[in-house]
Amino acid sequence: GAGVSQTPSNKVTEKGKYVELRCDPISGHTALYWYRQSLGQGPEFLIYFQGTGAADDSGLPNDRFFAVRPEGSVSTLKIQRTERGDSAVYLCASSLNSGARGDTQYFGPGTRLTVL
Amino acid sequence: AQSVTQLGSHVSVSEGALVLLRCNYSSSVPPYLFWYVQYPNQGLQLLLKYTSAATLVKGINGFEAEFKKSETSFHLTKPSAHMSDAAEYFCAVNGNTGNQFYFGTGTSLTVIP
């Protein structure tokens, strides 16, 4: 079966531009997560969706970052006025259940964002 | 608060030798712990997880890890390294509510032929 997919795989943009990163979770998974992985670091949590709603967005670094999941499946991470410090790999994950402790999160291959 | 520390950002072993990757955790609640592997240009793949059942957890590709509460550790081992094991390995702990993982900084494993 298909895993988590993310598009694009690579995105190069200029400082100040707007970008959208897409995540398509495993079919039937209700929980969806976004993480950011900077060079040499482990992934850092950004936001968690349960269905259509953002249940926890405590990891979003500032109000330039926003994510949606309007139909409870595909999610889009949106970054406004990009800065060079936003350069990282953005990972999406999904899990079958409600995001309870112990649920396995299945990760996509990530989108590598480079802000020039 | 939850966190993990991975000791050794780079580990090199000879093919056929024991693999030992270290992870220590800090958790304000009984921890749920995970090991993921990341191959170049691929997503993280679950190796194994501990969710308060047996303390010795067996995973895929011959890896296993032992939960030791007294040492707050969850080290990953494999008796005999293969060339295909060369990758980045991440330890992670679940948060209080389960909806996020706290990852370590990763250990890059090199296998020498």
Side-chain angles (χ1 to χ4, degrees):
Chain A
V4 177
S5 62
Q6 294 185 245
T7 55
S9 56
N10 282 283
K11 176 70 176 179
V12 180
T13 191
E14 295 180 343
K15 179 184 173 184
K17 299 292 187 182
Y18 168 83
V19 296
E20 290 189 350
L21 312 179
R22 175 187 168 109
C23 172
D24 204 335
I26 294 172
S27 178
H29 281 197
T30 59
L32 185 145
Y33 315 78
W34 284 98
Y35 291 82
R36 179 169 69 175
Q37 186 176 16
S38 300
L39 191 63
Q41 301 296 317
E44 292 181 297
F45 170 79
L46 295 176
I47 187 169
Y48 154 65
F49 286 90
Q50 180 54 39
T52 60
D56 182 354
D57 63 358
S58 62
L60 294 178
N62 52 60
D63 61 5
R64 294 186 298 105
F65 288 75
F66 188 72
V68 296
R69 195 186 185 199
E71 298 178 356
S73 178
V74 171
S75 176
T76 304
L77 178 66
K78 307 180 181 192
I79 310 174
Q80 298 177 323
R81 304 182 305 279
T82 52
E83 300 178 355
R84 292 193 179 89
D86 298 335
S87 296
V89 176
Y90 289 82
L91 298 169
C92 177
S94 67
S95 67
L96 180 61
N97 296 313
S98 61
R101 298 188 77 221
D103 275 358
T104 296
Q105 295 184 17
Y106 297 87
F107 284 80
T111 294
R112 182 176 299 278
L113 175 66
T114 302
V115 182
L116 301 177
Chain B
Q2 282 71 36
S3 67
V4 295
T5 301
Q6 293 184 243
L7 298 176
S9 57
H10 298 276
V11 170
S12 293
V13 300
S14 297
E15 190 175 14
L18 171 72
V19 176
L20 171 61
L21 304 182
R22 300 179 185 274
C23 174
N24 288 88
Y25 70 88
S26 173
S27 180
S28 55
V29 297
Y32 286 3
L33 295 156
F34 302 75
W35 275 101
Y36 280 84
V37 60
Q38 187 175 36
Y39 298 101
N41 300 316
Q42 295 187 28
L44 283 79
Q45 179 183 5
L46 180 71
L47 280 175
L48 48 81
K49 66 179 181 180
Y50 167 77
T51 57
S52 75
T55 57
L56 182 62
V57 182
K58 295 187 183 297
I60 63 171
N61 301 340
F63 284 93
E64 63 182 37
E66 186 171 8
F67 173 73
K68 292 187 177 180
K69 183 178 179 180
S70 61
E71 299 178 5
T72 61
S73 69
F74 189 57
H75 301 331
L76 182 71
T77 61
K78 181 174 180 177
S80 176
H82 295 169
M83 296 298 296
S84 60
D85 295 327
E88 188 86 14
Y89 291 81
F90 291 94
C91 181
V93 63
N94 240 162
N96 283 348
T97 54
N99 61 35
Q100 61 172 287
F101 286 174
Y102 294 92
F103 284 88
T105 52
T107 297
S108 177
L109 176 66
T110 299
V111 181
I112 303 167

